[in-house]
Amino acid sequence: PSSDCVMAEQLCLSDSTCNATYRTLENCALAKTRLLSLDHDSRVRCLNAELDLGNSSLLHCKCHRRMKRQEHCLRIFWTVHSSMTDGYLNLETSPYENSANEEHWKTDYNKLAALVSGKNCSQLAGDATNPCLRATHICNLSKKCFRLRTDYASTCTKGAASEDVCDRRKCHRGLRNFFEKVPEDFTKRILFCPCQDEFCGERRRKTIVPDCSFQYNTKPNCLWLLDSCLEDHICKSRLADFQQNCQPVDMSPDGCSLHNHAACLQAYMGMIGTPMTPNYVSNSSVEVSLWCTCENSGNQKEKCDQILSMFESNKCL
């Protein structure tokens, strides 16, 4: 099994040869972060340093979605694999451990759902016809789900009633906390609840608090959105995870190249709370998109369309 990158880094730093190679890679990654163009010799040195790691556990390490030092772990992964970002949208190796190998939390969702069903119907009017409302009521019975949902909702709605601009960064962090720390039994049902009418659809679309976390006053170009994502270790990692798990294939029964639609949905949830946060486009459909446009993309129009189509016309998703 792949080792944790934080542990792998500690092992490497205790070995003088590995330590020297890793420090070279850190300089290479730093130059890329600062958008410094490397000369030919520097590029060769960086590629050789990556090759020199050979069978080091650093080269094969992964991170976990719910780990405490996630950002540090992801920084290590991209330090070692910085050459992967040379190509455009060349992020098809996820830094995350396969979800099948991760511990799945035992949740009390079904027990809480039974409690909701047993309550007076008049208290929960609309439950039967609004699965999104029902999923929210069940979340409210779980202390963790209620607390983290309330946290991000209050952060993401601050300034909504005035001319103040909401703190998008804090809002995104709150959303990520919710989707990372609350068991998927709750988060998936809130986000993917099936709707028959627009009232339900509106609640589903507003799960992501679109006015703060999703929409800007004007739609930015999708290439700008991608650049913002690649500058952020978490967003870049979630995008790589999404590209790996949501590769569409026409001949596959579920439309996914890895034949794992559940992994694609999990990767999609991972994009929420990043600069490339997706959302439902309306109250009356299940179509999703990024909040961006490909108008005025010039000779990069094809690349821009590729970014948008990952969400808008992805058969796997």
Side-chain angles (χ1 to χ4, degrees):
S2 303
S3 66
D4 176 320
C5 289
V6 177
M7 291 171 60
E9 182 191 47
Q10 289 171 356
L11 280 173
C12 177
L13 296 181
S14 65
D15 176 90
S16 58
T17 306
C18 187
N19 191 328
T21 304
Y22 184 62
R23 296 304 181 196
T24 300
L25 287 172
E26 279 188 317
N27 291 331
C28 299
L30 188 63
K32 287 195 174 188
T33 303
R34 293 176 178 170
L35 301 177
L36 302 174
S37 54
L38 298 173
D39 58 35
H40 175 73
D41 289 347
S42 297
R43 284 201 300 274
V44 169
R45 195 182 308 117
C46 292
L47 285 169
N48 284 341
E50 201 169 309
L51 291 171
D52 284 345
L53 285 179
N55 290 322
S56 160
S57 56
L58 258 181
L59 200 60
H60 307 286
C61 71
K62 294 278 188 176
C63 302
H64 301 279
R65 289 170 183 81
R66 296 175 183 262
M67 69 189 296
K68 284 184 178 178
R69 300 180 68 192
Q70 185 180 163
E71 286 191 58
H72 179 64
C73 185
L74 295 172
R75 182 187 62 75
I76 296 165
F77 179 89
W78 292 115
T79 294
V80 176
H81 297 282
S82 62
S83 63
M84 281 170 52
T85 56
D86 283 348
Y88 189 85
L89 285 182
N90 223 5
L91 300 173
E92 290 172 17
T93 300
S94 173
Y96 289 109
E97 184 66 88
N98 188 316
S99 58
N101 298 334
E102 292 191 8
E103 182 183 349
H104 283 279
W105 297 1
K106 290 182 179 177
T107 72
D108 51 1
Y109 186 92
N110 291 331
K111 187 170 75 176
L112 296 178
L115 281 175
V116 166
S117 300
K119 285 195 176 186
N120 187 319
C121 291
S122 63
Q123 284 181 279
L124 302 171
D127 244 17
T129 56
N130 193 332
C132 293
L133 189 60
R134 176 180 168 79
T136 303
H137 283 145
I138 295 168
C139 169
N140 289 345
L141 292 179
S142 161
K143 286 181 182 177
K144 176 176 269 190
C145 191
F146 175 73
R147 176 173 56 82
L148 291 173
R149 185 173 167 274
T150 303
D151 283 353
Y152 87 72
S154 61
T155 303
C156 297
T157 50
K158 277 178 185 171
S162 65
E163 291 181 4
D164 296 336
V165 177
C166 75
D167 190 329
R168 183 171 277 111
R169 190 179 289 272
K170 275 189 179 177
C171 174
H172 280 167
R173 189 163 61 238
L175 274 165
R176 288 201 309 273
N177 264 340
F178 177 72
F179 283 101
E180 281 176 23
K181 294 179 179 176
V182 175
E184 280 184 19
D185 260 2
F186 293 91
T187 55
K188 275 189 174 176
R189 290 172 205 247
I190 287 175
L191 188 64
F192 303 126
C193 41
C195 289
Q196 302 297 322
D197 60 58
E198 291 198 16
F199 293 109
C200 177
E202 182 179 18
R203 176 169 279 275
R204 180 172 60 191
R205 190 174 67 87
K206 288 190 172 176
T207 294
I208 298 174
V209 197
D211 288 346
C212 181
S213 62
F214 179 63
Q215 295 170 197
Y216 296 77
N217 289 332
T218 56
K219 282 189 175 183
N221 188 281
C222 299
L223 294 165
W224 177 83
L225 219 58
L226 177 68
D227 287 342
S228 301
C229 183
L230 296 182
E231 289 170 10
D232 178 283
H233 284 308
I234 285 185
C235 188
K236 178 165 64 173
S237 302
R238 303 294 173 83
L239 181 60
D241 195 51
F242 180 80
Q243 284 193 281
Q244 177 179 293
N245 289 296
C246 295
Q247 282 285 339
V249 172
D250 286 337
M251 302 300 288
S252 173
D254 61 1
C256 305
S257 63
L258 297 181
H259 311 297
N260 191 342
H261 184 59
C264 176
L265 291 183
Q266 185 183 51
Y268 171 84
M269 288 196 297
M271 295 302 300
I272 297 168
T274 71
M276 287 182 74
T277 294
N279 198 8
Y280 295 98
V281 295
S282 75
N283 297 342
S284 55
S285 79
V286 289
E287 288 180 43
V288 297
S289 181
L290 297 173
W291 184 259
C292 64
T293 178
C294 285
E295 289 177 18
N296 305 316
S297 295
N299 60 0
Q300 290 192 301
K301 176 77 163 60
E302 190 178 337
K303 293 176 180 178
C304 186
D305 287 338
Q306 189 184 353
I307 298 164
L308 207 47
S309 67
M310 285 194 296
F311 295 87
E312 285 191 345
S313 53
N314 186 326
K315 288 187 177 182
C316 176
L317 180 61

